[in-house]
Amino acid sequence: MRKPIALRIFALLLLYCAVFVVLVLVQFTKRGNFTQRIGPMVISGQYRQLEEGEDAAANPGEYLLSGGASVYFGGLEFILKTRDNDDSFTLVNAGGEQEKTLPEGMVLSEDTAKFLLPGGSGLSFTAGRAGGIPEIQIDGDFAEGFSGLEIPFRPQRSARIRETSDGRLNIYHDGFNYSFSRSVRGEGKGLLSLKAGSSLVSYRAIPEKKSFSPEDYIVEQARSPQAFNDALAKWRDQSFSLWARLVSTRNDEDTVIAYVGEAARRGSYKAAVAAASAALLSGGQRSYESSVYLGGMDTGLRSFTAAEREKIGRLSRLINEKSLEFLNERHVFEFFAVRGLINFIDDGAALIRSIDPASLSPDLIPAIFEGFEDLRQWRPYGDNPFERLLDQACYVLSEGVCRDEDRVLVFRGGNADLEFNLRLGEALRLWAEGSGHDEWAALGRSILLSVFSLGDSTGSVPQTLTLSDAGTFSEAPGARPGAARLYRIFGSGEYRPRATAIGSGVNGIWAWTAASVVSAAQDNNVLDISVSFPMGETHYMMIRGVRPFAKIQLYNIDYRTDIQFERYDSSGWVYSAQEQILVLKMKHRVAVEHIRIFY
């Protein structure tokens, strides 16, 4: 006789409930296979069955494991298991030997799975989102006697994996491209190595990014060189008025140098020199840099030679240590070329050739553009090691460019250092204008004008800006460089203090000067140096590399040395034979005066 239909349905429901209970018991009684999801990350493995008399793990969320585990994310399976071949999960001991291993336990939290390894080491997988982009962070915790981990991985069936031109792996899965934060081994069967002290690795989706176009970041006043020069002239006018009010009270060398150098362009040089504060003139706050205007050459000579020795020694040490930090010096190859330091140029260029373009740091970008231009000027027919880095420099720069209304700056790590941006903008502008890259040149001009536009009523700008999640710029607490400081970093003005080579026909001789042009010609035993400066004005200069000589002529008249030459309303000179430096006071009767040295 057939059972009533209701009874049959009831029996089936009981059967389904029984099956469900069994599955739950398999999943959660720490016996058998398991699959756990933590955010976008999936973990699978096998719980270890407890031996008779063995207690379960005491901590909540802690599980004992057997036979290893796998972690799935972003189209990859990270394999924490041992195999018969070499593709096994291994611990590396302090001696560098590999030991196949299996996780003994697992601790789960809201976003992390930590695997407990023999000997007290651990391996963590943490799921999260960085800027809305899914990622996992993989980190090792090594007990004493262990130095690393080797984690094999392989693509899932639905994933495609390829190696990019810079040697990194790119994994495509479910509409996203994924990448590791550093290089890993293998395209088919990969291997992730973690080392004690630097074990953290992230694996994340690569956000889709609109292709970069400099045109999108050009501010209106930077579109043409003429518009840029007009805007720059306006900033100079405003700054010059500010410096005129401050120079007589400020014990500040930057303000004096900016004000006097700009005054020479405007025909008010003598009044600007006279306006320098007594405190600056008599105190110890000024260096050889302002001595080109204010004199004090006894002290200026000592500080000049000390500064040169220190800088050359520091750069020599960095190059010998093969440190790219020597590129932090602005126009460092021009510095070497002016001083005739040919070995420094050769050794520095060799270091540049060793740079992997894929590892180019944003900090080095200004130096790449500066170095290319410096070597193009000083070695126009030789190999330029910076050339192969230019495309990558533009790419790295583009990743940090941000715009907030009419301001464009380059951010590094969420911050925009304005002195860095000033150096970068000028280096980019000069390279791009010289190479015919009009859009990049306009971008460089945009960065420069953006920095200048941040000045307040005192001319100072924030040292650093931060970038909000909404993409707006905000001032960070800290120092505020003044307009005079910006003027000097920008390298503005034809009468600025600087080191300049005397001339291509006279090797090894260079000058520290504010003259607009210094050139030289050698005729038998006579070295004729011509110096350009506004007529009727007086300035000072140091010429280095001058060998001992018989006599000097100024104004076509033999001039004797006089240690008190600065006191007189005339030109004069002294000579340091030890340093081979000729120190001069030049009063210009005409715009171009001549110094004739007879050997």
Side-chain angles (χ1 to χ4, degrees):
M1 185 175 181
R2 297 172 63 97
K3 294 182 180 179
I5 188 69
L7 185 61
R8 295 177 63 194
I9 293 173
F10 180 71
L12 287 172
L13 287 174
L14 285 177
L15 178 61
Y16 291 151
C17 289
V19 171
F20 177 76
V21 169
V22 170
L23 290 175
V24 170
L25 289 174
V26 169
Q27 179 74 9
F28 295 106
T29 59
K30 301 185 182 181
R31 298 176 184 273
N33 298 327
F34 69 87
T35 298
Q36 293 273 20
R37 176 177 289 275
I38 299 179
M41 177 172 64
V42 175
I43 303 160
S44 70
Q46 187 176 47
Y47 295 126
R48 181 166 69 83
Q49 296 186 9
L50 300 179
E51 302 292 338
E52 185 175 349
E54 184 180 11
D55 294 331
N59 297 323
E62 182 174 338
Y63 304 86
L64 301 178
L65 299 180
S66 174
S70 291
V71 178
Y72 299 89
F73 174 80
L76 292 184
E77 176 191 1
F78 296 89
I79 305 165
L80 312 185
K81 302 176 182 179
T82 58
R83 299 176 178 178
D84 294 334
N85 56 25
D86 293 333
D87 298 328
S88 294
F89 181 48
T90 59
L91 271 168
V92 182
N93 63 29
E97 298 174 339
Q98 295 185 350
E99 304 174 6
K100 293 183 179 182
T101 190
L102 288 173
E104 296 178 332
M106 174 179 68
V107 180
L108 300 182
S109 63
E110 183 179 355
D111 60 356
T112 300
K114 181 174 182 179
F115 295 93
L116 308 178
L117 306 179
S121 295
L123 173 64
S124 298
F125 289 79
T126 302
R129 287 182 175 271
I133 302 301
E135 73 167 348
I136 58 171
Q137 293 187 342
I138 308 168
D139 198 5
D141 179 18
F142 299 98
E144 185 175 355
F146 294 97
S147 63
L149 273 169
E150 301 280 351
I151 308 169
F153 62 84
R154 63 187 175 193
Q156 296 176 255
R157 288 184 179 181
S158 58
R160 298 197 304 271
I161 186 169
R162 67 180 180 86
E163 189 170 337
T164 64
S165 59
D166 60 4
R168 292 180 178 270
L169 294 185
N170 186 292
I171 297 90
Y172 182 78
H173 178 68
D174 281 351
F176 286 93
N177 285 302
Y178 291 81
S179 179
F180 289 93
S181 59
R182 59 176 169 83
S183 296
V184 297
R185 293 195 305 235
E187 185 171 339
K189 296 179 180 179
L191 194 64
L192 174 62
S193 298
L194 304 183
K195 297 183 183 297
S198 59
S199 61
L200 181 64
V201 175
S202 67
Y203 176 63
R204 63 179 307 202
I206 305 170
E208 290 189 16
K209 188 174 181 180
K210 177 185 175 183
S211 60
F212 179 82
S213 172
E215 176 67 29
D216 296 334
Y217 297 89
I218 298 172
V219 302
E220 195 60 36
Q221 290 178 303
R223 289 199 172 275
S224 69
Q226 184 58 53
F228 170 75
N229 289 335
D230 292 343
L232 187 60
K234 183 178 179 181
W235 178 81
R236 279 177 171 155
D237 289 343
Q238 294 170 343
S239 299
F240 186 72
S241 299
L242 174 68
W243 300 330
R245 296 194 302 270
L246 297 175
V247 69
S248 61
T249 57
R250 283 278 185 94
N251 189 15
D252 172 17
E253 190 172 38
D254 278 343
T255 298
V256 169
I257 290 175
Y259 179 56
V260 176
E262 187 66 17
R265 294 178 63 246
R266 298 167 182 261
S268 55
Y269 174 81
K270 191 174 298 182
V273 170
S277 71
L280 180 66
L281 291 172
S282 59
Q285 297 298 312
R286 70 186 184 96
S287 70
Y288 67 93
E289 296 194 54
S290 61
S291 65
V292 293
Y293 307 130
L294 306 179
M297 301 307 294
D298 182 41
T299 302
L301 177 60
R302 289 197 300 271
S303 67
F304 173 71
T305 54
E308 284 288 311
R309 280 194 295 268
E310 186 280 328
K311 184 178 288 188
I312 291 173
R314 173 169 49 83
L315 294 174
S316 174
R317 175 179 56 79
L318 290 172
I319 291 176
N320 288 335
E321 293 173 354
K322 301 191 183 307
S323 169
L324 294 175
E325 288 185 17
F326 83 98
L327 293 173
N328 292 338
E329 185 71 32
R330 295 186 73 240
H331 288 284
V332 66
F333 281 89
E334 179 185 57
F335 178 90
F336 295 151
V338 165
R339 290 155 179 80
L341 302 174
I342 305 303
N343 289 341
F344 284 61
I345 296 178
D346 293 338
D347 294 344
L351 274 182
I352 303 306
R353 293 186 184 95
S354 71
I355 295 176
D356 176 9
S359 64
L360 198 59
S361 162
D363 298 344
L364 296 180
I365 303 307
I368 301 303
F369 296 123
E370 288 175 354
F372 180 81
E373 284 301 296
D374 289 346
L375 289 184
R376 181 159 66 175
Q377 175 187 353
W378 291 95
R379 289 187 170 182
Y381 305 111
D383 168 55
N384 194 322
F386 289 98
E387 186 169 11
R388 68 186 184 90
L389 302 175
L390 291 172
D391 287 344
Q392 184 68 9
C394 289
Y395 173 75
V396 173
L397 183 158
S398 71
E399 292 192 313
V401 176
C402 298
R403 180 167 189 163
D404 183 7
E405 296 182 351
D406 287 333
R407 292 193 176 106
V408 175
L409 294 171
V410 175
F411 284 75
R412 298 173 295 165
N415 295 314
D417 181 280
L418 294 199
E419 292 192 10
F420 172 85
N421 271 268
L422 200 59
R423 180 188 178 192
L424 172 61
E426 179 65 352
L428 176 63
R429 178 184 75 87
L430 292 176
W431 163 72
E433 288 180 351
S435 303
H437 299 291
D438 294 341
E439 287 189 342
W440 288 99
L443 176 59
R445 296 192 293 264
S446 297
I447 294 171
L448 291 170
L449 292 183
S450 297
V451 173
F452 295 139
S453 72
L454 289 162
D456 60 15
S457 59
T458 68
S460 66
V461 301
Q463 178 71 53
T464 307
L465 294 183
T466 59
L467 184 66
S468 72
D469 292 338
T472 58
F473 301 168
S474 302
E475 179 178 349
R480 293 182 61 90
R485 174 68 179 162
L486 302 184
Y487 183 90
R488 297 201 61 200
I489 295 173
F490 180 53
S492 186
E494 60 184 312
Y495 297 107
R496 68 188 185 280
R498 68 197 186 283
T500 182
I502 291 294
S504 59
V506 183
N507 294 324
I509 300 181
W510 58 279
W512 180 260
T513 182
S516 59
V517 179
V518 181
S519 61
Q522 182 96 36
D523 183 13
N524 295 323
N525 67 330
V526 179
L527 176 63
D528 187 350
I529 302 173
S530 59
V531 182
S532 299
F533 205 74
M535 186 173 62
E537 306 293 10
T538 300
H539 66 106
Y540 301 82
M541 61 192 300
M542 290 178 276
I543 304 177
R544 187 152 205 176
V546 177
R547 294 180 290 107
F549 50 86
K551 67 176 182 178
I552 284 181
Q553 284 188 350
L554 304 175
Y555 315 120
N556 293 319
I557 302 171
D558 292 353
Y559 256 67
R560 292 184 178 182
T561 185
D562 188 336
I563 60 174
Q564 296 183 327
F565 71 100
E566 290 191 58
R567 295 187 176 186
Y568 309 126
D569 186 23
S570 180
S571 297
W573 62 273
V574 293
Y575 178 67
S576 169
Q578 180 180 358
E579 300 288 347
Q580 293 196 347
I581 296 177
L582 178 63
V583 182
L584 295 120
K585 175 183 179 181
M586 295 293 298
K587 183 170 183 178
H588 280 246
R589 298 176 181 175
V590 293
V592 180
E593 293 286 5
H594 289 264
I595 305 161
R596 291 187 173 88
I597 302 174
F598 292 79
Y599 291 103

